[in-house]
Amino acid sequence: MRKILIAFYGTNYSDSALSFAAKLNEKNPILIAGAFLPQTSIANLWMYFGTGASGQEFLSQIRDNDKEVIQKNINRFEYFCIDHGIEYRIHKDYLDFAIPELIKESRFADLLIICSESFYWDIKNEPNEYLEETLHAIECPVILLPNEFEFPSCNILAYDGGKSSVYAIKQFSYLLPELTSNETTLICADDSINIPLPDELNVGELTARHFDNLNLLKFESDPKKYFNTWLSEKKGAILVSGSFGRSALYRLFHKSFIAETVKEHQTPVFIAHK
């Protein structure tokens, strides 16, 4: 049984994350841990955390009606899990539960699911520092989900020949075996690589062991210009990507084609790093 952590931010309720988890539970039972973070923490937590201030200092900023909505969301989450026969846990002291605690708990989870649009509420559709910081520090693989999506029926494995992309592919196959029978495309979309496919024999041997319906593809066109157009035509796709250290994470969100994928809120993205 896998433990899946789902983060709810502020008064937002992530139907998409629960829908995804429920689909997984239909195949193999899971445990869901629901983490309810005050929205104030998204805007202010890193400042407080950096100065060593206590969580209570920013919790005082939460309006009473927001607390009521969060409690209603907790009740809604509980009813959903009961109705779908899903084992669950709720953080009872949710008002003290913020991003540092989420990061700590991810150490003891198999997978974290986040509705990516929760990170865009105050940043005019640009990936913000909180999403970057969270993904950098999280200690388990992450799925970023748009509000509306099709449950994955095809997998897109982003591969550049590096260890991080291979690690992400392996983690995806280990954690989500329900999806390994999907049509799968391993795609090299790095325009700095001139060879057809780095270590094609090795990566082909590995991925063919885990994915039943596999194709290998070198994206010849300019990936930064055409990749997301190509991806948008792949209905029911999930993108698998490696996430690296801080400098590479900066490239991921500010220079790479994957940044545009997250920004467009259209395709689920699986991210894993050591």
Side-chain angles (χ1 to χ4, degrees):
M1 177 182 287
R2 291 156 293 180
K3 177 182 176 182
I4 295 180
L5 186 60
I6 297 181
F8 299 84
Y9 291 94
T11 59
N12 295 317
Y13 185 81
S14 183
D15 285 302
S16 59
L18 285 171
S19 174
F20 192 98
K23 286 286 188 182
L24 296 179
N25 189 69
E26 290 176 7
K27 302 291 186 180
N28 295 293
I30 62 173
L31 166 67
I32 298 179
F36 293 81
L37 284 70
Q39 187 157 302
T40 307
S41 69
I42 300 299
N44 299 310
L45 178 62
W46 289 109
M47 176 181 68
Y48 288 120
F49 188 53
T51 60
S54 70
Q56 294 298 329
E57 292 182 38
F58 69 82
L59 292 176
S60 63
Q61 301 179 33
I62 303 173
R63 299 189 304 272
D64 288 340
N65 62 328
D66 285 349
K67 294 180 183 179
E68 294 176 4
V69 173
I70 291 173
Q71 184 58 53
K72 289 180 180 178
N73 285 342
I74 290 176
N75 296 339
R76 187 177 172 187
F77 166 80
E78 186 172 21
Y79 295 147
F80 180 93
C81 292
I82 293 172
D83 288 344
H84 289 80
I86 303 173
E87 186 177 355
Y88 68 94
R89 300 288 186 274
I90 296 173
H91 293 277
K92 297 297 184 182
D93 299 325
Y94 63 92
L95 289 181
D96 291 323
F97 189 82
I99 290 178
E101 293 299 320
L102 179 70
I103 291 170
K104 180 180 179 180
E105 174 134 354
S106 71
R107 183 178 305 167
F108 306 101
D110 294 302
L111 182 67
L112 168 66
I113 301 179
I114 296 175
C115 179
S116 61
E117 295 184 41
S118 298
F119 285 92
Y120 292 80
W121 61 277
D122 64 347
I123 51 174
K124 299 180 180 179
N125 286 332
E126 291 296 332
N128 68 11
E129 62 185 286
Y130 312 112
L131 178 56
E132 295 179 30
E133 291 283 356
T134 301
L135 292 181
H136 172 71
I138 286 296
E139 298 183 25
C140 68
V142 179
I143 292 181
L144 298 178
L145 287 176
N147 278 343
E148 297 183 5
F149 69 99
E150 294 182 33
F151 189 76
S153 58
C154 69
N155 311 319
I156 309 299
L157 313 179
Y159 171 67
D160 63 2
K163 63 181 180 180
S164 292
S165 62
V166 176
Y167 178 79
I169 291 168
K170 290 191 288 187
Q171 289 300 302
F172 179 79
S173 67
Y174 301 156
L175 288 172
L176 298 169
E178 303 91 341
L179 304 183
T180 57
S181 60
N182 290 348
E183 176 185 352
T184 302
T185 301
L186 183 141
I187 181 169
C188 184
D190 189 336
D191 57 4
S192 67
I193 298 176
N194 296 321
I195 58 177
L197 199 67
D199 292 313
E200 181 172 352
L201 177 61
N202 288 330
V203 74
E205 287 178 347
L206 172 67
T207 51
R209 305 288 79 75
H210 295 284
F211 299 95
D212 301 330
N213 187 3
L214 177 70
N215 299 300
L216 306 183
L217 174 65
K218 176 69 164 70
F219 203 82
E220 300 296 343
S221 303
D222 181 358
K224 292 181 176 62
K225 186 175 181 180
Y226 297 108
F227 177 80
N228 281 285
T229 300
W230 175 85
L231 184 62
S232 68
E233 297 172 354
K234 297 291 184 180
K235 301 301 180 184
I238 182 169
L239 177 65
V240 178
S241 169
S243 178
F244 325 100
R246 184 173 298 274
S247 61
L249 186 66
Y250 178 89
R251 292 196 298 272
L252 172 68
F253 281 101
H254 296 276
K255 297 183 180 181
S256 78
F257 57 87
I258 294 174
E260 294 301 315
T261 302
V262 176
K263 181 179 176 181
E264 291 297 323
H265 313 307
Q266 294 179 346
T267 304
V269 181
F270 175 95
I271 299 174
H273 66 91
K274 292 185 178 180

